[in-house]
Amino acid sequence: MAGLKQVQRQTGVALWRQIADRIRETIGNGTYDETGMVPPETVLALQFGVNRHTVRSALAALAQEGIVRAVQGRGTLIERKERLNFPITRRTRFTSGIGDQAREMRSLLLDEVQEEASAEVARWLGLKQGEQVIRLETLRQADKRPVSKATSWFPAARFAGIGDAYRKRESITKAFADLGLSDYVRATTEVTAAHANTADLADLELTPGAILLIAKAMNTDLDGVPVQYSISRFAADRVQFTIEN
């Protein structure tokens, strides 16, 4: 079956994690849409070249993510949860981007630190290495389900108090407005994919082996001066990106 290949045993990644990733990807591709069910454990074990216990561990992980559900007497049912569509535009905004796809949205401030800019952060923000920046760790939820986690840096001299403003307003856009920046635009977005690390697994409520879409982005004011550099991690099974001109 397309998308299901035998796993690699010497990659350093547990077999059940590899299988969970491949089943997750296959579900996302719509391969099982006709039946709405994942094939039986015996079939999957044969396709992947592993024992049923390994397949069972993979399915249990996917069940914890809410992707599948075991049904007594029937097998493993695919839970129909559509991905949220997140547009990346010149004015990318989380709340307006998700729009009416969710009934309730929350943005939580997990941590705030003032620190010296690393070489990477300084390059993105057009600062000198060692200049003061404010780093915010934030978590965004849609209908009480974690969708993304972001690390963002701001020039401290210009945006002192942005942590308090974000905590109050639950929005970067509104926090900027409170600090005198009425509008800003997306200058650059770089998208990659990777396995979630331990901290992101916990905050995004994922299981080991889950895939993240990672967006590195730089926003500027209308004069082209950088105001924010961020690295956002999105749960790949919950969000898809649409790139718009």
Side-chain angles (χ1 to χ4, degrees):
M1 181 175 290
L4 297 184
K5 302 176 182 178
Q6 288 200 347
V7 292
Q8 300 178 13
R9 297 177 180 273
Q10 296 180 339
T11 63
V13 179
L15 296 180
W16 67 266
R17 291 189 186 183
Q18 296 182 53
I19 293 170
D21 283 350
R22 295 186 186 183
I23 294 174
R24 187 190 298 107
E25 179 182 2
T26 304
I27 289 173
N29 291 338
T31 302
Y32 303 139
D33 280 357
E34 289 186 5
T35 64
M37 305 287 291
V38 175
E41 292 177 3
T42 52
V43 173
L44 290 172
L46 181 62
Q47 290 172 339
F48 285 114
V50 298
N51 59 45
R52 289 180 64 183
H53 177 75
T54 302
V55 169
R56 194 171 296 125
S57 296
L59 293 176
L62 293 175
Q64 290 181 15
E65 291 182 38
I67 295 174
V68 301
R69 175 168 54 90
V71 179
Q72 185 70 30
R74 291 184 59 193
T76 303
L77 177 70
I78 297 169
E79 294 279 48
R80 296 293 178 182
K81 291 185 178 178
E82 297 295 330
R83 287 186 177 95
L84 296 169
N85 183 57
F86 186 72
I88 297 177
T89 69
R90 189 166 183 264
R91 282 181 168 80
T92 298
R93 310 287 191 265
F94 179 80
T95 301
S96 59
I98 298 299
D100 59 1
Q101 299 175 74
R103 294 181 299 276
E104 177 187 357
M105 285 180 282
R106 291 291 312 277
S107 295
L108 309 176
L109 179 62
L110 303 179
D111 195 16
E112 175 188 5
V113 177
Q114 183 161 326
E115 61 191 14
E116 295 182 352
S118 66
E120 178 186 6
V121 170
R123 177 174 61 83
W124 281 87
L125 289 178
L127 304 173
K128 294 180 180 179
Q129 185 174 348
E131 283 193 61
Q132 291 294 300
V133 293
I134 297 172
R135 171 169 53 86
L136 302 185
E137 302 286 346
T138 58
L139 181 71
R140 294 183 173 111
Q141 301 174 335
D143 293 332
K144 300 182 180 179
R145 193 181 189 204
V147 172
S148 71
K149 182 182 175 185
T151 305
S152 299
W153 291 266
F154 309 85
R158 184 172 182 181
F159 296 110
I162 194 166
D164 289 338
Y166 185 89
R167 185 182 292 107
K168 176 183 176 181
R169 305 282 268 164
E170 297 192 9
S171 164
I172 292 295
T173 301
K174 292 177 181 178
F176 272 151
D178 285 353
L179 298 177
L181 180 63
S182 61
D183 196 9
Y184 62 100
V185 294
R186 175 65 56 89
T188 304
T189 304
E190 299 177 0
V191 178
T192 57
H195 283 92
N197 63 27
T198 302
D200 289 339
L201 287 174
D203 289 330
L204 292 170
E205 299 177 11
L206 301 171
T207 56
I211 301 297
L212 299 179
L213 297 176
I214 302 173
K216 285 188 177 182
M218 189 258 284
N219 290 320
T220 72
D221 63 20
L222 299 188
D223 293 322
V225 178
V227 295
Q228 177 189 10
Y229 167 52
S230 63
I231 303 175
S232 300
R233 285 87 74 198
F234 294 81
D237 64 311
R238 300 172 190 170
V239 174
Q240 64 183 16
F241 292 154
T242 301
I243 311 298
E244 300 179 359
N245 294 327

